[in-house]
Amino acid sequence: MDEFRGWEFLIQETVNRERMIRLPEQVRETVAVNHLTKGPSICWSIEDENRYIVLSESSLEKDAYTNIGIYKIYDIDDVDEPGGRIRPPKEISSVWAADPQVGERVFYLTHERMCRGPKPSVYLLSEAQVLDLLPNRASNERTGAITDSLFEVPGFDGAE
């Protein structure tokens, strides 16, 4: 399955009753920054066509993305501390194709070219979006438009 080479991690978390999502260490180390006024933070963006979420250290500059803003990481005072939780901003609930609800699973996914590029970034995907990436059992081919758009991520072409 060569098409899966280079993917750094796929980490599953569950949306809790406060619509908070645990922030795994690998994600925090990849995209969290200590913002001057907000403290530990992550920049949230949405891809305009397929409406998936990209978390990054700073705003994305490609026209394909709408930057939602920089939002606080809860339960930590510094990005070097363990733990932390995030909450999807209210602004994205009407446009994020996934918009997971309490008890649903979400997945953090990144490729080596995303997390080592000039603007480190990570996807935050719903379970349906992740399943769309897997090979089709009948044809053994990847399905869904999201698969192709994932490979147009920030930094894949070397010029975020």
Side-chain angles (χ1 to χ4, degrees):
M1 299 188 86
D2 289 341
E3 67 265 22
F4 294 112
R5 279 205 183 123
W7 293 100
E8 290 285 313
F9 58 77
L10 175 66
I11 302 170
Q12 173 187 305
E13 293 296 337
T14 303
V15 179
N16 76 13
R17 68 179 179 274
E18 295 142 0
R19 296 209 57 200
M20 300 283 261
I21 305 166
R22 190 177 81 76
L23 189 65
E25 179 180 359
Q26 290 169 295
V27 177
R28 192 181 64 254
E29 289 175 351
T30 302
V31 296
V33 296
N34 283 314
H35 189 272
L36 185 60
T37 60
K38 298 180 187 219
S41 303
I42 292 178
C43 185
W44 290 70
S45 300
I46 191 161
E47 187 274 336
D48 295 331
E49 185 176 331
N50 294 300
R51 301 184 319 191
Y52 51 84
I53 298 300
V54 180
L55 305 174
S56 58
E57 287 185 340
S58 59
S59 297
L60 302 178
E61 296 169 4
K62 286 186 177 180
D63 291 340
Y65 299 96
T66 298
N67 292 297
I68 304 301
I70 297 171
Y71 291 86
K72 179 176 177 39
I73 300 170
Y74 298 91
D75 303 331
I76 60 173
D77 294 320
D78 188 273
V79 295
D80 293 329
E81 293 179 24
R85 296 182 301 159
I86 59 173
R87 178 183 291 134
K90 291 178 185 173
E91 295 87 347
I92 68 168
S93 65
S94 63
V95 293
W96 185 12
D99 194 26
Q101 301 301 308
V102 173
E104 291 183 21
R105 296 185 295 183
V106 294
F107 297 82
Y108 296 98
L109 172 68
T110 196
H111 191 276
E112 61 189 16
R113 288 164 44 195
M114 292 172 69
C115 59
R116 294 189 188 109
K119 290 197 177 195
S121 56
V122 173
Y123 289 111
L124 178 61
L125 304 171
S126 70
E127 183 173 3
Q129 289 173 316
V130 169
L131 291 174
D132 192 39
L133 297 173
L134 298 177
N136 183 320
R137 290 181 187 159
S139 67
N140 228 9
E141 294 178 12
R142 292 176 295 170
T143 60
I146 193 170
T147 303
D148 294 331
S149 62
L150 282 175
F151 288 100
E152 295 175 10
V153 297
F156 264 29
D157 60 5
E160 198 296 313

